[in-house]
């Protein structure tokens, strides 16, 4: 099965290379279909790995490839999969396939479908590689692979009415993340100076032994800053709203659905097990900033006038719950963080698909210009939008509920080394943020869906949901319901690996 894991990365990479080779291999008219097929094959490989996964040993790294790559510094091509990485691999493969499928019927602004599809496939390589890498340097390389493709996706295919704005948003995104990554790399080097290995399985087994506490604290700060930029943690989030507002639909879906999870995944994979003493020292500060992000994201949403920016700010709040769960240093909190990450990928991916569809139909995402009356004009599209909004506010029975609830439960009983009183205060504030989240989504639903149309008679006949949209969105709706009713589908996979990584 380690060959299948190699193919998981090779198929989208090969697809991107074939598309860049020119029209003789894939004609222009078949470009989008070719990308969808490559995405479908990658998704099937991910499902195959999930079917062959030994769930009784989810804490163990499976399907491993471990060979020397750069002997001079002991860098190894070490890939594998455990209970923490499996849900993220499946989520990434699914969202990438749905984006590629969406492109077959919804042409990107500005054309150049071949280049866009190739970049999405290259993005998929970087995202999947991050979740299966078990060497710090290999992890870092995959972590960085996504930056340049996403810059082009935003800068070239973003908002067609604001070329300067989309380039500025793309440049801000890459500058923030490059700076964060440089700081994170310094943290990795600090770990190496104490442990003399980059291998994540060996570092997790040692649990920080051999790395002095002072070095661990410095490494935890450096690694945490690099991961926090991409998570995104307040106040390092400011690149996110513009990037989402200016990105094309597929860019927003992958950015919210997967790229943000690369940061929080790194906290669980690297930060917690590799520098545990440093994590314990830094965790209260991480929890405090995460809680500020929850409140800030909710309050910012109440003031937004553009749909995609509003959903982007909601992501700041939702990812705050993920970071709060991680900062509790408990199995319950970290499991909740991982579940919330998967749920956020499904729900916010759906919301950005719908927001893109609304903007494509009306030529704007401005809430004042969109007006109300979606129930009357586009009842099916309005229904999907309301479902996504209700799921995002954390309604019990849908996937958005469980992760945030477990993160709050982790704050109720944080790790013994942490001050419980501090976390109880943060839990109450985060709970207030959850109430504000419900408020702004309900206001948004009332504003857009109810009432009468205010945008003019020319838009009364806009089309409702199309067939390709139904196919692309249905898996996200179904999984949001399934995971809401049966959260054990994720938690039973992540829990053994989480308990191994946090030592619980």
């Amino acid at each position: 099965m380690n060959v299948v894991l190699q193919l998981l990365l090779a198929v989208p990479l090969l697809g991107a290379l074939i598309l860049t080779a020119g029209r003789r291999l894939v004609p222009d008219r078949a470009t989008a279909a070719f990308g969808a097929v490559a995405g479908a094959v990658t998704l099937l490989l991910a499902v195959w790995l999930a079917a062959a996964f030994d769930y009784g040993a989810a804490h163990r790294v499976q399907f491993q490839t471990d060979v020397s790559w750069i002997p001079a510094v002991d860098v190894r091509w070490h890939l594998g999969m455990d209970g923490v990485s499996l849900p993220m691999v499946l989520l990434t493969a699914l969202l990438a396939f749905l984006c590629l499928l969406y492109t077959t019927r919804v042409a990107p602004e500005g054309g150049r479908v071949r280049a866009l599809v190739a970049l999405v496939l290259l993005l998929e390589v970087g995202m999947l590689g991050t979740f299966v890498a078990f060497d710090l340097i290999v992890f870092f390389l995959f972590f960085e692979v996504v930056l340049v493709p996403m810059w082009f996706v935003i800068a070239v295919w973003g908002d067609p009415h604001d070329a300067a704005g989309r380039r500025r948003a793309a440049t801000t995104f890459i500058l923030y993340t490059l700076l964060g990554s440089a700081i994170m790399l310094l943290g990795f080097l600090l770990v190496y100076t104490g442990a003399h290995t980059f291998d994540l399985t060996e570092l997790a087994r040692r649990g920080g032994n051999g790395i002095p506490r002072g070095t661990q604290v410095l490494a935890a700060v450096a690694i945490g800053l690099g991961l926090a930029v991409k998570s995104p943690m307040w106040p390092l989030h400011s690149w996110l709203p513009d990037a989402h507002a200016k990105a094309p639909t597929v860019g927003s879906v992958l950015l919210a659905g997967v790229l943000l999870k690369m940061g929080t995944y790194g906290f669980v994979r690297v930060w917690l097990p590799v520098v545990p003493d440093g994590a314990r020292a830094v965790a209260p500060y991480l929890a405090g900033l995460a809680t500020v992000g929850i409140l800030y994201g909710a309050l910012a949403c109440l003031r937004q006038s553009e749909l995609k920016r509003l959903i982007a700010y909601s992501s700041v709040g939702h990812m705050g719950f993920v970071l709060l769960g991680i900062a509790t240093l408990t199995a319950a909190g970290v499991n909740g963080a991982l579940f919330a990450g998967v749920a956020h990928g499904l729900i916010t991916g759906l919301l950005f698909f719908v927001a893109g569809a609304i903007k494509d139909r009306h030529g704007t995402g401005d809430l004042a210009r969109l007006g109300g009356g979606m129930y009357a004009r586009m009842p099916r599209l309005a229904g999907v939008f309301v479902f996504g909004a209700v799921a995002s506010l954390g309604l019990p029975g849908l996937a958005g509920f469980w992760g945030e609830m477990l993160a709050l439960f982790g704050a109720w009983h944080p790790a013994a080394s942490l001050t419980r009183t501090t976390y109880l205060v943060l839990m109450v504030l985060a709970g207030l943020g959850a109430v504000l989240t419900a408020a702004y989504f309900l206001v948004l639903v009332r504003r857009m869906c109810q009432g009468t149309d205010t945008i003019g008679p020319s838009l009364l006949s806009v089309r409702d949901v199309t067939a390709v949209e139904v196919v692309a969105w249905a898996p996200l709706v179904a999984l949001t319901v399934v995971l809401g009713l049966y959260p054990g589908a994720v938690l039973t996979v992540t829990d053994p690996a989480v308990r191994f990584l946090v030592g619980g």
Side-chain angles (χ1 to χ4, degrees):
M1 283 297 172
N2 56 346
V3 175
V4 179
L5 186 61
Q6 299 290 331
L7 288 174
L8 186 74
L9 302 177
V11 168
L13 178 60
L14 181 62
L17 293 175
I18 290 174
L19 288 175
T20 58
R23 296 178 177 82
R24 285 182 293 181
L25 294 178
V26 181
D28 285 342
R29 64 180 181 276
T31 297
F34 176 83
V37 170
V41 172
T42 306
L43 177 59
L44 289 174
L45 291 170
V47 172
W48 188 352
L49 289 169
F53 190 79
D54 182 1
Y55 293 92
H59 65 285
R60 182 170 55 84
V61 182
Q62 303 176 34
F63 318 130
Q64 289 194 76
T65 297
D66 187 7
V67 296
S68 180
W69 186 29
I70 309 176
V73 288
D74 195 28
V75 174
R76 305 185 65 80
W77 183 253
H78 190 180
L79 307 179
M81 187 184 295
D82 65 0
V84 170
S85 50
L86 176 59
M88 302 312 303
V89 167
L90 291 171
L91 175 68
T92 301
L94 174 64
L95 287 177
F97 166 65
L98 295 180
C99 286
L100 291 164
L101 180 66
Y102 190 76
T103 307
T104 62
R105 288 292 180 270
V106 182
E109 293 282 354
R112 305 184 196 178
V113 178
R114 177 185 299 274
L116 177 62
V117 172
L119 288 170
V120 171
L121 289 171
L122 188 57
L123 275 169
E124 187 174 17
V125 176
M127 295 182 297
L128 289 171
T130 301
F131 298 131
V132 299
F134 280 84
D135 182 279
L136 282 175
I137 300 302
V138 177
F139 173 91
F140 177 80
L141 293 176
F142 279 121
F143 198 83
E144 297 303 289
V145 161
V146 302
L147 299 186
V148 174
M150 184 55 75
W151 185 91
F152 278 105
V153 169
I154 298 172
V156 177
W157 291 274
D159 189 344
H161 306 296
D162 187 8
R166 68 178 187 250
R167 286 193 294 269
R168 183 172 57 251
T171 302
T172 302
F173 158 75
I174 201 169
L175 288 177
Y176 262 81
T177 48
L178 279 175
L179 178 60
S181 297
I183 297 172
M184 182 176 69
L185 182 59
L186 291 176
F188 290 172
L189 296 176
L190 282 172
V191 169
Y192 183 79
T193 61
H196 306 293
T197 181
F198 289 115
D199 189 83
L200 279 167
T201 55
E202 177 62 19
L203 289 167
R205 186 190 64 80
R206 295 181 188 178
N209 289 335
I211 307 176
R213 186 181 186 279
T215 302
Q216 286 198 41
V217 173
L218 287 174
V221 171
I223 295 170
L225 284 173
L227 297 172
V229 170
K230 197 169 281 187
S231 291
M233 181 186 75
W234 182 93
L236 304 175
H237 69 286
S238 56
W239 60 269
L240 182 70
D242 283 340
H244 273 309
K246 301 304 180 183
T249 298
V250 295
S252 292
V253 171
L254 292 176
L255 184 59
V258 183
L259 262 70
L260 304 189
K261 314 310 178 299
M262 292 167 63
T264 55
Y265 172 86
F267 275 103
V268 179
R269 174 64 65 205
V270 179
W271 194 72
L272 289 176
V274 173
V275 285
D277 290 341
R280 280 189 287 271
V282 177
Y285 303 98
L286 176 64
L289 292 173
T291 305
V292 173
I294 294 170
L295 293 170
Y296 173 83
L299 292 172
C301 284
L302 290 170
R303 297 176 56 86
Q304 294 309 304
S305 59
E306 205 279 333
L307 181 58
K308 291 181 72 175
R309 288 182 68 87
L310 187 150
I311 300 172
Y313 273 109
S314 77
S315 292
V316 175
H318 288 307
M319 299 310 290
F321 278 101
V322 175
L323 293 171
L324 177 61
I326 293 169
T328 66
L329 307 184
T330 62
V334 176
N335 274 305
L338 291 170
F339 190 96
V342 173
H344 180 266
L346 297 172
I347 297 168
T348 307
L350 175 65
L351 282 173
F352 274 116
F353 266 132
V354 176
I358 292 171
K359 190 170 183 179
D360 290 342
R361 285 160 169 78
H362 298 88
T364 182
D366 184 83
L367 295 176
R369 292 179 61 192
L370 287 172
M374 272 184 63
Y375 283 143
R377 295 196 316 275
M378 301 172 289
R380 295 180 181 83
L381 185 59
V384 178
F385 176 73
V386 171
F387 175 86
V390 170
S392 191
L393 63 82
L395 184 72
L398 297 175
F401 171 74
W402 294 105
E404 295 182 3
M405 188 273 289
L406 286 171
L408 293 175
F409 183 77
W412 175 258
H413 283 295
S417 59
L418 303 173
T419 304
R420 189 181 183 216
T421 303
T422 301
Y423 278 78
L424 289 178
V425 173
L426 296 177
M427 182 195 73
V428 172
L429 293 174
L432 175 61
V435 174
L436 292 173
T437 299
Y440 69 71
F441 269 119
L442 292 175
V443 169
L444 180 64
V445 168
R446 180 192 62 79
R447 185 174 181 179
M448 290 192 60
C449 297
Q450 297 179 346
T452 57
D453 177 65
T454 61
I455 53 178
S458 63
L459 292 172
L460 290 175
S461 59
V462 291
R463 68 188 186 280
D464 208 333
V465 177
T466 64
V468 72
E469 289 170 340
V470 170
V471 174
W473 302 348
L476 303 179
V477 173
L479 286 170
T480 299
V481 174
V482 169
L483 295 185
L485 298 176
Y486 181 51
V490 172
L491 295 175
T492 54
V493 179
T494 61
D495 187 58
V498 165
R499 291 185 182 277
F500 173 74
L501 292 175
V502 302

